[in-house]
């Protein structure tokens, strides 16, 4: 019985839904603040101390606005795709160890790395469906771009995510993170090239700035979000933010040693959560910095960059890792 | 509950900018609002590309005959609750283009306007002040509900329009109608 309540608590409150939601909103605020500071502005300021409640205000406002469904839209998909995409992203986050264990089980299972990457793909596909169902020209162009982009970038993403898995000899996220903490060597030191490639691919997967062609305001109005209003728009925004958290959490687990770090006193889960959140914020700051500094590429540049540069680089990275793991690292570690 | 709702609405007004035939003077002033010097994101104001996302429609220009239809269409695409701010002497009353053969003259002849910001062009400070006043008007007076575009489109207040036309050139003068 206690176990059951514990599970419910873990799913709904910590480190499950409520915690993830708060983290998402906080990261959204941080992104906006970083972006503003880098552009010599101050960013959100009046909603709460330092504007920290700004994402919450946006979210509530969108929830309370009128919800319009255009006559031409495919009603069912249009209504449910944003919500389902959000649910899938949060579900995928439940497999990531946050306080030393993931939300659903202590250690996950063999192959959960593949599962959560697949979840991310499905969520992206739902976003595509949402835009497609809105039957707006800008929406459809935006979603077609989402599709072309994420089909291309998913392959290097999977290949690069395999690098840490190879070094750790496991496809289980908890094992990969634990391997780094037992050897006191985060993989960012063992395979820095993979870290850089992973960040770049992540940026493309999250449709952040050098790669944000799917919703480039100057060409496509709002991309696939163009027709969405009210609660649906709120969930589309939230899905994007959760995707950012998800990508950064993946980087933390695969390259920065996961939630593990020194435990000074008291409960280990507190320290693990603290380390996890701190590392996550660092990754979010890095991606946001890239977003602000770079200008948008054209869609053809994005695609040729993917197939001509990133995919071969990912394959090379994987081969290099295999060679290193087989012949070199055994000499060192 | 309603308090939270109002709080969220006041703290997060997303604006859409529509140029209905302005000389571009007012538009530049609006763009200036987004620059580091004025940075309206402080107040949670975001410039949105799609009318579906916007809460406040910032209209500049004198509304030409051709634009009137489009302006109306854009307005109708916005979700409730929505507000319209007429920026510049042209948008308030027609301004220097008043009486021209191809000009409707004034946003309020086409769609209901919540706030007028006169000036040719109004300074960014004046626009900011107008928007903030509009938002604060949402807040305190509990009993009487706010002018959520309750006004019928045709009922433009002639005295106010004339008064504004008169002081149209005087910058920094701002007023919130109702
Ligand atoms: S009010 Fe003045 S600056 Fe603004 S659009 Fe009219 S003429 Fe141009």
């Amino acid at each position: 019985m206690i176990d059951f309540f514990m599970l419910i608590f873990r799913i709904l409150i910590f480190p499950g839904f409520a915690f993830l939601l708060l983290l998402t909103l906080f990261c959204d605020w941080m992104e906006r603040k970083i972006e503003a500071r880098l552009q010599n502005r101050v960013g959100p300021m009046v909603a709460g101390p330092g504007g920290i409640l700004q994402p919450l205000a946006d979210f509530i406002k969108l929830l309370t606005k009128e919800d319009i469904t255009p006559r031409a839209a495919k009603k069912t998909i249009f209504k449910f795709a944003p919500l389902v995409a959000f649910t899938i992203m949060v579900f995928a986050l439940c497999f990531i160890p946050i306080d030393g264990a993931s939300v659903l089980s202590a250690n996950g299972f063999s192959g959960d790395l593949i599962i959560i990457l697949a979840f991310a793909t499905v969520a992206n596909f739902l976003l595509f469906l949402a835009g497609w169902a809105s039957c707006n020209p800008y929406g459809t162009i935006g979603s077609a771009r989402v599709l072309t982009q994420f089909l291309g970038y998913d392959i290097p993403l999977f290949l690069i995510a395999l690098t840490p898995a190879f070094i750790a000899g496991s496809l289980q996220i908890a094992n990969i993170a634990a391997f780094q903490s037992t050897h006191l060597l985060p993989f960012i030191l063992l395979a820095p090239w993979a870290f850089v490639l992973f960040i770049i691919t992540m940026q493309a997967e999250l449709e952040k700035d050098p790669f944000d062609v799917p919703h480039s305001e100057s060409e496509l109005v709002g991309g696939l979000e163009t027709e969405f209003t009210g609660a649906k728009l709120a969930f589309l925004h939230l899905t994007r933010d959760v995707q950012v958290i998800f990508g950064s959490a993946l980087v933390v687990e695969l390259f920065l040693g996961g939630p593990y770090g020194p435990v000074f006193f008291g409960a280990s889960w507190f320290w693990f959560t603290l380390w996890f959140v701190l590392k996550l914020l660092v990754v979010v700051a890095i991606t946001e910095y890239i977003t602000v500094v770079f200008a948008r590429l054209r869609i053809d540049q994005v695609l040729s960059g993917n197939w001509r540069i990133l995919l071969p680089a990912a394959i090379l990275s994987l081969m290099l890792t295999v060679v290193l793991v087989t012949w070199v690292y055994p000499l060192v570690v | 509950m309603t308090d939270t709702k109002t709080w969220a609405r006041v703290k997060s007004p997303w604006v859409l900018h529509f140029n209905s035939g302005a000389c571009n003077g007012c538009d530049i002033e609006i763009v200036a609002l987004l620059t580091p010097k004025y940075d309206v994101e402080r107040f949670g104001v975001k410039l949105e590309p799609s009318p579906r996302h916007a809460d406040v429609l910032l209209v500049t220009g004198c509304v030409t005959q051709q634009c009137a239809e489009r302006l109306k269409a854009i307005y109708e695409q916005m979700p409730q609750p929505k507000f319209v701010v007429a920026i510049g002497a042209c948008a308030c009353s027609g301004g220097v283009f008043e009486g021209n053969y191809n000009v409707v003259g004034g946003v309020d002849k086409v769609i209901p306007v919540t706030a007028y910001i006169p000036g040719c062009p109004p300074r960014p400070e004046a626009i900011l002040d107008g928007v903030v006043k509009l938002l604060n008007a949402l807040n305190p007076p509990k009993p009487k509900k706010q002018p959520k575009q309750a006004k019928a489109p045709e009922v433009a207040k002639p005295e106010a329009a004339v008064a504004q036309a008169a002081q149209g050139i005087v910058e920094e003068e701002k007023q919130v109608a109702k």
Side-chain angles (χ1 to χ4, degrees):
Chain A
M1 204 56 194
I2 291 292
D3 278 1
F4 178 71
F5 279 121
M6 202 57 207
L7 185 67
I8 298 285
F9 178 78
R10 284 184 71 82
I11 290 176
L12 289 184
I13 303 185
F14 180 87
F17 189 70
F19 174 71
L20 291 176
L21 201 63
L22 281 182
L23 190 61
T24 308
L25 293 176
F26 179 76
C27 276
D28 190 15
W29 171 77
M30 202 182 85
E31 278 182 7
R32 285 176 74 169
K33 255 330 210 204
I34 293 178
E35 186 179 344
R37 289 312 298 154
L38 284 174
Q39 292 172 347
N40 209 5
R41 298 185 286 120
V42 285
M45 217 169 73
V46 291
I52 197 163
L53 295 178
Q54 188 63 51
L56 187 67
D58 288 350
F59 186 63
I60 295 176
K61 182 209 69 178
L62 282 177
L63 283 184
T64 54
K65 283 209 77 146
E66 185 191 1
D67 214 339
I68 301 174
T69 309
R71 207 177 298 152
K74 305 279 171 289
K75 308 268 178 324
T76 324
I77 304 181
F78 186 78
K79 270 186 201 143
F80 291 111
L83 194 58
V84 178
F86 171 69
T87 320
I88 290 181
M89 282 321 292
V90 173
F91 189 52
L93 267 175
C94 287
F95 287 93
I96 287 181
I98 293 174
D99 59 344
S102 63
V103 173
L104 295 176
S105 62
N107 277 321
F109 51 88
S110 178
D112 53 3
L113 176 61
I114 304 289
I115 291 277
I116 60 167
L117 286 175
F119 276 143
T121 311
V122 172
N124 251 333
F125 189 74
L126 278 165
L127 289 185
F128 153 75
L129 273 185
W132 195 261
S134 70
C135 287
N136 176 298
Y138 298 114
T140 32
I141 297 175
S143 1
R145 285 185 177 187
V146 170
L147 204 56
T148 34
Q149 184 164 326
F150 95 81
L151 281 184
Y153 279 91
D154 252 15
I155 303 167
L157 187 79
F158 269 65
L159 287 178
I160 301 166
L162 283 183
T163 301
F166 253 107
I167 305 179
S170 166
L171 274 176
Q172 198 168 330
I173 303 173
N175 283 1
I176 297 176
F179 185 92
Q180 302 173 54
S181 80
T182 46
H183 290 76
L184 292 180
L185 251 187
F187 290 155
I188 184 175
L189 299 177
L190 276 183
W193 69 89
F195 176 74
V196 174
L197 283 177
F198 197 82
I199 291 268
I200 296 175
T201 324
M202 209 73 235
Q203 201 77 3
E205 279 274 305
L206 300 175
E207 290 150 22
K208 289 181 107 193
D209 216 319
F211 307 98
D212 76 334
V213 283
H215 48 94
S216 47
E217 284 91 357
S218 44
E219 303 164 38
L220 290 182
V221 187
L224 60 87
E225 295 167 3
T226 306
E227 278 294 338
F228 285 89
T229 51
K232 297 194 256 320
L233 183 64
F235 278 105
L236 277 183
H237 281 274
L238 210 55
T239 312
R240 283 215 187 288
D241 294 337
V242 175
Q243 276 179 328
V244 172
I245 300 283
F246 172 80
S248 318
L250 213 53
V251 175
V252 170
E253 299 292 339
L254 295 182
F255 291 97
L256 299 179
Y260 303 109
V263 176
F264 294 116
F265 54 86
S268 64
W269 61 265
F270 169 76
W271 289 99
F272 287 163
T273 314
L274 185 70
W275 293 126
F276 179 81
V277 171
L278 286 181
K279 290 173 183 177
L280 188 100
L281 294 184
V282 170
V283 177
V284 170
I286 293 176
T287 55
E288 192 54 32
Y289 185 76
I290 298 176
T291 307
V292 178
V293 167
F294 286 99
R296 183 185 308 136
L297 296 169
R298 288 199 314 266
I299 178 82
D300 58 314
Q301 292 168 329
V302 166
L303 288 183
S304 63
N306 170 19
W307 294 107
R308 293 214 188 115
I309 302 169
L310 219 47
L311 185 61
I315 294 175
L316 278 181
S317 146
L318 195 58
M319 283 173 10
L320 185 63
T321 317
V322 173
V323 169
L324 287 178
V325 168
T326 328
W327 287 293
V328 181
Y329 289 160
L331 306 176
V332 187
V333 184
Chain B
M1 190 60 217
T2 25
D3 281 356
T4 328
K5 226 152 100 180
T6 323
W7 171 80
R9 272 176 197 161
V10 171
K11 295 296 180 202
S12 147
W14 291 358
V15 301
L16 175 77
H17 170 208
F18 184 80
N19 178 340
S20 67
C23 75
N24 232 353
C26 291
D27 308 275
I28 287 173
E29 301 301 319
I30 290 179
V31 173
L33 279 180
L34 305 169
T35 57
K37 186 159 181 196
Y38 297 102
D39 185 26
V40 277
E41 209 198 352
R42 283 181 290 162
F43 304 102
V45 177
K46 267 209 307 194
L47 190 65
E48 281 294 317
S50 162
R52 295 279 195 218
H53 306 175
D55 309 303
V56 181
L57 180 63
L58 305 180
V59 193
T60 57
C62 49
V63 191
T64 59
Q65 302 275 10
Q66 288 199 334
C67 257
E69 289 293 303
R70 276 97 181 162
L71 180 57
K72 216 164 159 187
I74 295 268
Y75 177 74
E76 277 159 7
Q77 282 174 8
M78 289 169 56
Q80 294 280 11
K82 49 190 168 186
F83 309 97
V84 178
V85 180
I87 293 178
C90 292
C92 292
S93 63
V96 285
F97 302 107
E98 168 85 272
N100 210 339
Y101 67 95
N102 60 352
V103 154
V104 178
V107 176
D108 50 12
K109 302 221 170 76
V110 187
I111 53 174
V113 174
T114 330
Y116 299 85
I117 302 174
C120 182
R123 291 182 60 84
E125 290 97 327
I127 302 179
L128 207 56
D129 188 75
V131 173
V132 169
K133 268 188 186 152
L134 164 73
L135 293 172
N136 286 341
L138 281 177
N139 232 351
K142 276 280 169 52
K144 54 175 170 100
K145 260 291 160 220
Q146 270 320 297
K148 289 187 180 160
Q149 57 103 45
K151 229 167 19 158
E154 288 77 22
V155 193
K157 296 197 290 16
E159 338 76 72
V162 169
Q164 274 153 12
Q167 47 171 238
I169 328 132
V170 187
E171 63 170 26
E172 301 256 4
E173 190 65 49
K174 56 261 159 181
Q175 107 187 55
V176 180
K178 284 242 172 82

